[in-house]
């Protein structure tokens, strides 16, 4: 896929991993649409990079997701990145927290990828180089982690959905894959660190060490490592990578 001739959508593209994905795809020459719920972070990205366009979108809003694709047209690369994380022991996981996490992480991902696939199909797959549907999942979609039942369920759901989608579109020129990072350096992990410190009285360094221990390399993962994997899924020879849940959690 020639990214300099491609258009890319990144949900939750105004901050965290989404910001890095948007900047790296733009650096590869792609036109990048980013969307999110808050105007200021989107505007900051757009001001900094002429290849980036910002759109207000809540990924749980089905009508708005459809309208966005009607506005921007088919995207060669659709990255369902928007997500939220909250933690609680299973017996204290309330229904509204469950619904919130499943709503954004699983249903939001479904709505984004479905709208992206529909737009590609409606265009008769006429966009050059096929299409790439990429879900940002998590290592918590591959195994269970304590105090994260809703989040883990949402990401297992994402991986299952992507595997089924990939089987359906096999051979179409469009692929679907999930990227499963470990704990990333950034704001979401900072919030988790703050929660650990508050609940356990641990120092910041000790709280970071708890999270870093989930990586075989004993460290947090840099968003750029996830972005590199997303670019690889669009690179030469990537046509055959379909239906994978790719773990990105440091070297073993
Ligand atoms: P983040 O909180 O920095 O960014 C998440 C983005 O999603 C934000 O821009 C936020 O505004 C947006 N978002 C949330 N709800 C939305 C909604 N309803 N509609 C539109 N946008 C919405 O977190 P991040 O670390 O950049 O997370 C990005 C993705 O990576 C998420 O799917 C997350 O689950 C996943 N992930 C994160 C980590 C981590 O340790 N931070 C690890 C593995 C996977």
């Amino acid at each position: 896929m020639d990214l300099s001739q491609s258009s890319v959508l990144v949900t939750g593209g105004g901050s965290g991993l989404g910001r890095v994905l948007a900047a790296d795809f733009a650096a590869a020459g792609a036109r990048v649409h980013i969307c999110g719920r808050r105007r200021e972070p989107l505007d900051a990205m757009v001001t900094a990079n002429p290849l980036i366009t910002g759109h207000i979108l809540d990924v749980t809003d089905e009508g708005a997701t459809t309208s966005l694709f009607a506005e921007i047209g088919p995207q060669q690369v659709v990255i369902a990145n928007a997500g939220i994380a909250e933690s609680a022991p299973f017996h204290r996981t309330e229904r509204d927290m469950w619904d919130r996490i499943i709503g954004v992480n699983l249903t939001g991902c479904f709505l984004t990828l479905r709208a992206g696939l529909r737009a590609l199909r409606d265009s008769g797959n006429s966009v050059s180089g096929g299409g790439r549907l990429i879900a940002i999942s998590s290592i918590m979609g591959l195994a269970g982690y304590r105090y994260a039942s809703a989040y883990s369920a949402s990401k297992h759901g994402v991986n299952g959905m992507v595997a089924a989608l990939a089987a359906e579109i096999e051979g179409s020129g469009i692929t679907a894959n999930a990227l499963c990072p470990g704990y990333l350096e950034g704001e979401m992990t900072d919030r988790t660190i703050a929660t650990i410190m508050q609940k356990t009285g641990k120092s910041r360094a000790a709280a970071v060490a708890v999270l870093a221990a989930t990586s075989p390399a004993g460290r947090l993962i840099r968003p750029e490592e996830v972005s590199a994997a997303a670019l690889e899924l669009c690179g030469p020879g990537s046509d055959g990578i379909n239906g994978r849940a790719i773990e990105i959690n440091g070297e073993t």
Side-chain angles (χ1 to χ4, degrees):
M1 172 175 289
D2 180 359
L3 283 175
S4 69
Q5 300 299 316
S6 298
S7 190
V8 179
L9 173 73
V10 182
T11 65
S15 63
L17 173 58
R19 191 165 48 199
V20 174
L21 285 163
D24 287 355
F25 273 81
R31 293 180 307 284
V32 180
H33 296 280
I34 55 172
C35 59
R37 293 161 304 169
R38 292 167 297 144
R39 174 56 65 190
E40 306 83 66
L42 298 176
D43 283 350
M45 290 289 289
V46 170
T47 305
N49 197 318
L51 284 173
I52 298 179
T53 311
H55 308 266
I56 292 292
L57 176 78
D58 183 327
V59 293
T60 63
D61 184 336
E62 182 172 9
T65 307
T66 305
S67 300
L68 175 68
F69 275 90
E71 182 188 340
I72 65 178
Q75 303 292 298
Q76 283 84 356
V77 184
V78 177
I79 306 181
N81 163 75
I84 56 172
E86 292 175 60
S87 61
F90 187 74
H91 67 285
R92 294 215 191 101
T93 297
E94 301 297 343
R95 172 68 191 265
D96 61 345
M97 175 179 145
W98 175 272
D99 286 346
R100 222 170 18 248
I101 293 177
I102 297 293
V104 176
N105 292 2
L106 181 54
T107 309
C109 180
F110 157 67
L111 292 173
T112 301
L113 298 188
R114 187 186 66 172
L117 179 62
R118 282 180 174 169
L120 281 166
R121 286 173 63 95
D122 289 351
S123 73
N125 289 358
S126 61
V127 290
S128 64
R132 298 286 180 269
L133 305 174
I134 301 173
I136 302 300
S137 182
S138 165
I139 51 167
M140 295 193 193
L142 300 169
Y145 286 78
R146 296 164 74 195
Y147 312 132
S149 52
Y151 185 84
S152 192
S154 73
K155 297 298 191 181
H156 274 77
V158 165
N159 290 355
M161 178 183 70
V162 165
L165 162 61
E168 280 183 38
I169 60 178
E170 181 73 46
S172 69
I174 304 169
T175 64
N177 291 283
L179 296 178
C180 303
Y183 282 101
L184 294 169
E185 293 173 1
E187 292 156 35
M188 186 182 273
T189 298
D190 284 344
R191 291 191 289 271
T192 306
I193 291 165
T195 303
I196 294 172
M197 290 168 69
Q198 187 220 330
K199 300 260 187 217
T200 66
K202 286 186 196 295
S203 68
R204 182 179 164 80
V208 171
V210 169
L211 303 185
T214 62
S215 155
R219 64 174 176 82
L220 303 183
I221 306 305
R222 288 177 296 109
E224 289 76 10
E225 296 176 79
V226 183
S227 185
L231 285 163
E232 224 170 279
L233 286 175
C234 305
S238 62
D239 297 6
I241 309 172
N242 189 32
R244 301 268 305 279
I246 299 164
E247 184 169 352
I248 304 165
N249 200 17
E251 296 153 24
T252 49

